[in-house]
């Protein structure tokens, strides 16, 4: 099995969507994710740290006809456990993460000055993905990530992201 090294490090980039009930629309943006994982002895599972950076912005029209500019940024820190459904040159996984987030919402309506608020709370994540090893220590990985960020200002803190990334592994088998 290729996926039995000690440590995995991967970087992903992709798109993120958060629905906003107040405006009845979705807010879309970008995400950059960092994963550091320790593979367990049998190669079927791993535990680690996931740190995504989520950024989204949108312009909405208020009830008074003014435009409202929103800029949203969030950094969750998640302790993540993953189980490998497939373990070989292809690796398919399902995971669960729990941690905290720090989020910022900046808004400006019409010509008024910008207002910035910070939010913190609990973060939950469910990653699902597949990877392909191009070489024993280098792989491509794609994933879907559902995240719930309690206390976040957009969409009750629910975000969905699709990412693609590169990963490296090292350590003895």
């Amino acid at each position: 099995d290729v996926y039995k090294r000690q440590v995995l490090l991967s970087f992903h980039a992709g798109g993120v969507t958060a629905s906003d009930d107040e405006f009845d629309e979705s807010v879309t943006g970008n995400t950059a994710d960092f994963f550091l994982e320790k593979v367990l002895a049998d190669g079927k599972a791993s535990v680690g740290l996931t740190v995504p950076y989520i950024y989204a912005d949108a312009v909405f029209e208020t009830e008074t006809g003014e435009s409202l500019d929103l800029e949203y940024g969030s950094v969750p820190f998640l302790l993540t456990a993953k189980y490998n459904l497939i373990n070989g040159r292809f690796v398919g996984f399902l995971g669960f993460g729990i941690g905290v987030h720090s989020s910022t919402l900046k808004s400006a309506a019409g010509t008024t000055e910008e207002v910035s608020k910070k939010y913190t709370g609990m973060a939950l994540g469910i990653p699902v993905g597949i990877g392909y090893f191009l070489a024993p220590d280098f792989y491509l990985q794609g994933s879907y990530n559902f995240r719930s960020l309690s206390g976040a200002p957009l969409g009750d803190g629910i975000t969905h992201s699709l990412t693609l990334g590169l990963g490296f592994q090292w350590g003895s088998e």
Side-chain angles (χ1 to χ4, degrees):
D1 292 335
V2 179
Y3 186 74
K4 284 195 175 180
R5 306 274 185 201
Q6 296 282 332
V7 180
L8 299 172
L9 175 66
S10 59
F11 303 94
H12 289 211
V16 65
T17 299
S19 59
D20 192 297
D21 298 333
E22 183 178 344
F23 297 103
D24 235 3
E25 293 185 39
S26 291
V27 177
T28 59
N30 301 305
T31 183
D33 299 0
F34 164 82
F35 303 90
L36 181 61
E37 303 172 47
K38 168 73 172 104
V39 178
L40 302 180
D42 64 358
K44 291 281 188 187
S46 64
V47 294
L49 177 67
T50 302
V51 182
Y53 172 71
I54 299 166
Y55 175 82
D57 61 354
V59 178
F60 296 105
E61 188 172 313
T62 66
E63 292 175 0
T64 61
E66 285 186 310
S67 67
L68 176 64
D69 296 326
L70 293 180
E71 195 175 298
Y72 175 70
S74 183
V75 180
F77 293 88
L78 299 160
L79 295 177
T80 306
K82 293 181 182 174
Y83 178 76
N84 294 323
L85 306 169
I86 307 168
N87 192 8
R89 197 161 195 64
F90 280 97
V91 177
F93 64 86
L94 174 63
F96 178 78
I98 187 167
V100 297
H101 76 90
S102 176
S103 300
T104 303
L105 179 67
K106 294 179 184 177
S107 62
T111 58
T112 62
E113 69 182 59
E114 185 176 90
V115 176
S116 182
K117 293 183 181 179
K118 294 206 178 283
Y119 303 84
T120 57
M122 186 173 171
L124 299 174
I126 300 174
V128 177
I130 191 163
Y132 177 73
F133 279 87
L134 301 168
D137 295 329
F138 183 69
Y139 60 95
L140 293 174
Q141 190 174 69
S143 67
Y144 163 77
N145 293 282
F146 169 86
R147 293 189 181 107
S148 175
L149 309 173
S150 71
L154 292 179
D156 296 329
I158 303 296
T159 66
H160 306 273
S161 64
L162 288 173
T163 62
L164 185 61
L166 297 174
F168 308 91
Q169 66 174 355
W170 67 91
S172 61
E173 291 186 51

